[in-house]
Amino acid sequence: DAGPELCRLSAVDAFLKPVCDILVKPAVPITNYLTEFSGITEEMLASVTTTREEAVQQLEAAIPEGAILVGHSLENDLQAMGIVDDKIIDTSLLFPHPRPGLKSGLKFLAKTILKENMMRAQGHDSCEDARTAMKLAVLKFQKGPTFGGNHAAPTVSLGTALKENTAEFACSVSVADSRAKPSSPWFGNALENVEYREADSDQKAVLMGVAAIKSRTTPKHIAVAHLRSYQKVCESQSEAAMMAPSHEPTLAKKKAAVAEVNLAISHAVSQLGPRDLLIVWTASGDCWTYLKLLGASKNNSLPESGVRALELGKNAAETPFWAV
């Protein structure tokens, strides 16, 4: 008994489009196909000649260099393929089991998180598994790090947090946002000490924030500028993409949105005074681009840093995700 063998290799892209679905010839004779679990029958593999190495080569050829692999309990998939990859997202870790040391099954997460039933009457379907893992990962990115967690930290609205932590410091607050309205629960019940300004773009939000700081009437002022361009592009496409992959958002829109965000951040950095503090908060995700920009500003290299931020932003917008 040589243990489990790779018999099928399937992958989809971030928009659930299949990029490969390959039957693989086992390296050793199969003594039990476990069809009720694997979905693989002897007849399916009777004429298959593709080896594991050839299947992995086909997968590597189908996805771009630097792609991030998404899957559930990926250590099993990587071991079956005989490869090592340090760019992975494992949905069993994105949605941890409430009991340490245990993992939630993919079928359970599909039912509880996606509200979908994985139909396995004919056994395991690797394509369905890949699509389900990708849906879970994308949903996690959309909702933030606490979504789906069993021990999510309590949250408070931004308005409430500002009210509770700024009054004793004689600090005024202004918010520039293209989405939230004064009645929005995003502010909680703390609008009495928050000046709301409606912006029609990321650049306008930053300009309003800078103007509020320069015209402040208190020793300290907190200006909040919500940058929404990239978020709006993703939100306008993501639900459609999940339901119909043909609605894939264009790379040009994503690049333009990232460029707008980075230009807004660059402008904010250029306006910093000697005693001003700029905090870039992404709520979730990777803020490395902006940390690089802030670091460059300390070395008085703002023009170059702005260019670097744009290039990093473009690269980030092109980073693909693939589920196996």
Side-chain angles (χ1 to χ4, degrees), residues 107 110-111 114-120 128:
K107 185 176 181 179
K111 178 69 173 179
L114 300 177
K115 311 304 180 186
E116 296 180 359
N117 290 316
M118 297 184 70
M119 307 305 294
R120 287 185 169 176
E128 183 185 20

Side-chain angles (χ1 to χ4, degrees), residues 10-310:
S10 308
V12 302
D13 65 14
F15 305 101
L16 310 183
K17 293 181 179 179
V19 295
C20 73
D21 187 16
I22 310 164
L23 289 173
V24 181
K25 180 181 179 179
V28 297
I30 301 297
T31 57
N32 189 342
Y33 286 87
L34 298 173
T35 303
E36 65 272 27
F37 304 111
S38 68
I40 300 294
T41 65
E42 184 177 2
E43 291 73 23
M44 291 173 62
L45 300 180
S47 60
V48 173
T49 60
T50 303
T51 65
R52 182 182 74 171
E53 290 73 20
E54 292 170 339
V56 171
Q57 288 175 1
Q58 290 182 42
L59 173 65
E60 292 175 341
I63 62 178
E65 183 179 357
I68 299 173
L69 293 180
V70 178
H72 191 79
S73 294
L74 266 174
E75 71 277 7
N76 299 322
D77 301 289
L78 297 177
Q79 183 177 3
M81 289 187 287
I83 64 174
V84 175
D85 198 312
D86 60 355
K87 294 182 179 180
I88 64 172
I89 295 176
D90 194 326
T91 51
S92 70
L93 301 179
L94 286 183
F95 299 92
H97 194 280
R99 295 179 60 184
L102 300 180
K103 290 185 178 181
S104 297
L106 186 60
K107 185 176 181 179
F108 173 79
L109 291 178
K111 178 69 173 179
T112 57
I113 303 296
L114 300 177
K115 311 304 180 186
E116 296 180 359
N117 290 316
M118 297 184 70
M119 307 305 294
R120 287 185 169 176
Q122 304 301 318
H124 177 81
D125 184 335
S126 54
C127 280
E128 183 185 20
D129 285 4
R131 286 191 294 268
T132 301
M134 182 58 74
K135 288 180 182 180
L136 286 167
V138 170
L139 193 60
K140 186 76 168 187
F141 302 152
Q142 292 174 348
K143 301 295 186 180
T146 62
F147 173 74
N150 297 289
H151 308 286
T155 59
V156 296
S157 69
L158 178 62
T160 300
L162 292 174
K163 179 181 180 181
E164 293 177 350
N165 294 280
T166 58
E168 62 180 293
F169 298 109
C171 181
S172 56
V173 180
S174 64
V175 175
D177 194 349
S178 60
R179 171 174 295 182
K181 301 298 181 182
S183 59
S184 169
W186 184 80
F187 288 102
N189 298 314
L191 287 170
E192 60 268 20
N193 71 326
V194 177
E195 179 186 0
Y196 173 80
R197 303 180 181 190
E198 186 172 359
D200 55 13
S201 68
D202 287 354
Q203 194 72 8
K204 189 65 174 293
V206 169
L207 289 173
M208 287 179 172
V210 171
I213 291 176
K214 291 185 176 181
S215 62
R216 64 182 181 266
T217 57
T218 57
K220 304 180 184 67
H221 183 85
I222 296 177
V224 179
H226 264 230
L227 309 183
R228 303 278 193 180
S229 56
Y230 189 78
Q231 177 184 355
K232 288 179 178 179
V233 170
C234 293
E235 289 182 348
S236 67
Q237 300 288 342
S238 58
E239 292 298 329
M242 292 292 287
M243 300 304 296
S246 61
H247 291 167
E248 176 180 337
T250 62
L251 184 58
K253 287 184 179 179
K254 295 172 72 176
K255 283 184 175 181
V258 170
E260 182 178 347
V261 171
N262 283 320
L263 283 173
I265 295 294
S266 298
H267 180 73
V269 172
S270 70
Q271 298 298 308
L272 288 177
R275 302 189 65 180
D276 293 335
L277 173 65
L278 174 64
I279 300 175
V280 179
W281 178 40
T282 62
S284 62
D286 185 2
C287 58
W288 177 246
T289 297
Y290 305 128
L291 291 176
K292 291 279 287 187
L293 183 58
L294 288 174
S297 70
K298 296 178 181 178
N299 300 322
N300 298 319
S301 56
L302 181 63
E304 293 81 9
S305 70
V307 174
R308 284 201 299 274
L310 284 175

